[in-house]
Amino acid sequence: MNVLRVSKWTIAMFVLPCLIIYVGLVFVPILVSMYSGLLEWNGIGTSKFIGLDNFRTMLFHDPVFWPSVKRTLMFAVFSMIEIPIALGVAILLNRFIKKPNFLVSAYFLPVILSVVIVGQLWKTIYNPAAMGGMLNQVLDMLHLHSWTRSWLTDPKIAMYSLYFVALWQYLGYHTLIQFTGIQNIPADIYEAARLDGAEGLKADWYITFPMNIPIFKISIVLAFIGSLQAFDMIMVMTGGGPAHATDVISTLMYNNSFLSLKYGYGSAIAAFLVVVCLVATVIINTLFNRLERKFS
């Protein structure tokens, strides 16, 4: 018991500094932000306590807020489309490529690039043909003139253009995660399944996917929560425009807090975003726990 008690104190001594830092850098700013959402404040001068007025304005009177929430959720849904694609790519690499590490690294390369570099690169690609935009030039060369668009200035398609860039950049990230999970599945299981006549898609359905569910869940949570917080790529490529057509929750929060100097109102939007992320995490974990029990 003495050894156990010493061990617990030792563990606590090592964990406590990290816990204090984590609480100070994560939970305290969240609480401060939620309190700031109760103030009328420009972030510099004297603040005025106004209770829930910022939240009422956000939920019932801001014409831009709910469309930005819808675009944020759509961004998150589109980001999850790449997870099954990444799993498929990982399965193909594991099955048909003898030394797949080089290809996995090549797919991962866009993740290493700075978001600013990726944003500027795709902004140039999406430019009109007259401004050197590669995409429209290629469409012109293929005589598909009717397909050319103002990809980032047309409110109807600007957000879809951003979805594709996010999918392109992070597909390799999730491919690496899924590939690592597949590599950890014992080969003996596949050998036994092959003897029973389970190969190809049948083996993937009954072995690869069920045994990779925890890794699949990690990718889903990272993609969904990361997309809810999407900010840097949108600010680089469109700044939330044209006419708020690509505004999401995080860009709306930034524009209100630092451009319009409505820091209290921006903090209310930030508090809403935190709640959405927490709810989404709980829902995803609940669904995957049920899925794991179903396949177990």
Side-chain angles (χ1 to χ4, degrees), residues 51-62:
L52 297 176
D53 285 357
N54 283 326
F55 292 93
R56 279 192 286 267
T57 301
M58 175 183 69
L59 296 174
F60 303 112
H61 302 294
D62 190 342

Side-chain angles (χ1 to χ4, degrees), residues 57-59 62-72 228-231 234-235 239-241 243-263 265-270 272-273:
T57 301
M58 175 183 69
L59 296 174
D62 190 342
V64 181
F65 176 72
W66 286 112
S68 71
V69 173
K70 178 182 176 182
R71 282 187 290 269
T72 304
L228 290 179
Q229 301 173 5
F231 172 77
I234 296 173
M235 290 301 294
H244 299 288
T246 59
D247 251 335
V248 292
I249 297 176
S250 55
T251 59
L252 189 66
M253 173 191 68
Y254 174 84
N255 289 333
N256 276 283
S257 297
F258 301 108
L259 299 184
S260 300
L261 294 180
K262 299 177 182 177
Y263 192 82
Y265 185 63
S267 297
I269 298 174
F272 177 86
L273 180 58

Side-chain angles (χ1 to χ4, degrees), residues 63 104 113 159:
V104 173
L113 298 177
M159 202 68 208

Side-chain angles (χ1 to χ4, degrees), residues 143-191:
H143 303 288
L144 299 173
H145 308 291
S146 60
W147 289 22
T148 59
R149 295 286 187 277
S150 298
W151 300 99
L152 296 179
T153 56
D154 186 343
K156 295 180 180 179
I157 62 172
M159 202 68 208
Y160 295 99
S161 302
L162 297 178
Y163 294 151
F164 182 82
V165 176
L167 190 149
W168 173 84
Q169 184 177 16
Y170 292 105
L171 178 63
Y173 177 71
H174 296 289
T175 298
L176 176 62
I177 294 175
Q178 299 303 315
F179 180 78
T180 303
I182 293 172
Q183 289 275 293
N184 289 327
I185 299 175
D188 297 345
I189 298 178
Y190 289 106
E191 290 293 337

Side-chain angles (χ1 to χ4, degrees), residues 102-119:
F102 174 76
L103 285 177
V104 173
S105 301
Y107 291 142
F108 191 76
L109 184 61
V111 183
I112 302 173
L113 298 177
S114 164
V115 176
V116 176
I117 294 174
V118 171

Side-chain angles (χ1 to χ4, degrees), residues 14-25 27:
F14 280 101
V15 171
L16 190 59
C18 296
L19 183 62
I20 292 173
I21 293 173
Y22 183 77
V23 169
L25 295 179
F27 286 101

Side-chain angles (χ1 to χ4, degrees), residues 210-224:
M211 297 194 70
N212 217 42
I213 284 178
I215 308 300
F216 200 80
K217 180 177 74 172
I218 291 172
S219 283
I220 290 288
V221 171
L222 289 175
F224 197 90

